[in-house]
Amino acid sequence: LKACPGDFSKMTEFKRLLVLRALRPDRLLGALRTYVGNELGQGFVMQPPYDMKATWEETSPKTPIFFVLFPGVDPTNWVEDLGKTMNITESNGLFINISMGEGQENPAAEQVKRLAAQGGWIMLQNIHLMQHWLPALERQLEEIGETAHEHFRCFLSAEPPPFSYQK
């Protein structure tokens, strides 16, 4: 075996990444994390845990909170746990969780109207199953947004659309 030409230890970190990519691509991901952490800071490498309270603080009764669902991620517990800290629970009627599917349009619309008037949270899950109803929901949320109780919030969840590649 011959040694690599040049002095590897005197190369810049970026040039070492290029050599690593060519010779050991299986080691590249870890080296990239180190490089990005050193160059841009650990905030670009380590993701902080999701902060539901900070999200809620940025919203208003006019702004629905939309969660895109991915395998292993369920925002329901985040919403319920935050609601409990604010005395918004299913047991006191101020939190309603509806899994959308056939026949759920009217119950969901009624609960949105009720909670917007008295103040409460509604979580409509899997709205991707109800694409035909979404324009009506959007209209309803726009209409009630002007007069909704200050504690009203609407949480929505849906799976991402399927990826389609077009040439």
Side-chain angles (χ1 to χ4, degrees), residues 3-4 10 23 33 39 42 88-89 92-93 97 118 159 164:
C4 284
K10 290 183 181 177
L23 299 177
R33 274 195 195 104
E39 292 295 315
Q42 289 300 312
I88 297 175
T89 64
N92 66 14
N97 184 359
Q118 77 179 63
E159 290 181 0
S164 63

Side-chain angles (χ1 to χ4, degrees), residues 13-52:
E13 194 171 6
F14 184 74
K15 287 182 180 178
R16 280 188 287 218
L17 282 174
L18 297 175
V19 172
L20 194 61
R21 168 65 175 95
L23 299 177
R24 290 296 305 266
D26 59 312
R27 302 288 181 144
L28 188 60
L29 186 59
L32 279 171
R33 274 195 195 104
T34 301
Y35 176 76
V36 170
N38 291 342
E39 292 295 315
L40 301 176
Q42 289 300 312
F44 288 88
V45 179
M46 301 299 293
Q47 182 176 355
Y50 181 70
D51 187 349
M52 185 65 217

Side-chain angles (χ1 to χ4, degrees), residues 35-165:
Y35 176 76
V36 170
N38 291 342
E39 292 295 315
L40 301 176
Q42 289 300 312
F44 288 88
V45 179
M46 301 299 293
Q47 182 176 355
Y50 181 70
D51 187 349
M52 185 65 217
K53 185 167 190 214
T55 299
W56 179 85
E57 289 171 352
E58 293 180 18
T59 66
S60 73
K62 294 180 182 182
T63 311
I65 298 109
F66 184 79
F67 294 101
V68 178
L69 299 174
F70 290 96
V73 177
D74 182 7
T76 307
N77 290 336
W78 302 336
V79 175
E80 288 176 340
D81 290 346
L82 179 62
K84 287 175 189 171
T85 68
M86 304 172 88
N87 198 31
I88 297 175
T89 64
E90 286 187 86
S91 61
N92 66 14
L94 295 178
F95 179 75
I96 301 295
N97 184 359
I98 299 175
S99 183
M100 298 305 293
E102 190 175 331
Q104 293 300 317
E105 303 95 324
N106 290 337
E110 289 171 15
Q111 291 297 334
V112 166
K113 184 178 178 182
R114 180 181 72 82
L115 292 171
Q118 77 179 63
W121 296 0
I122 187 162
M123 183 158 194
L124 302 176
Q125 296 191 52
N126 301 315
I127 62 170
H128 60 279
L129 301 174
M130 306 297 293
Q131 292 181 15
H132 67 280
W133 178 67
L134 292 180
L137 174 63
E138 182 180 10
R139 258 190 321 279
Q140 183 182 20
L141 291 173
E142 285 176 3
E143 290 171 3
I144 65 171
E146 299 301 319
T147 59
H149 191 281
E150 66 179 314
H151 295 299
F152 171 71
R153 293 296 187 279
C154 180
F155 300 89
L156 308 168
S157 73
E159 290 181 0
F163 178 74
S164 63
Y165 177 75

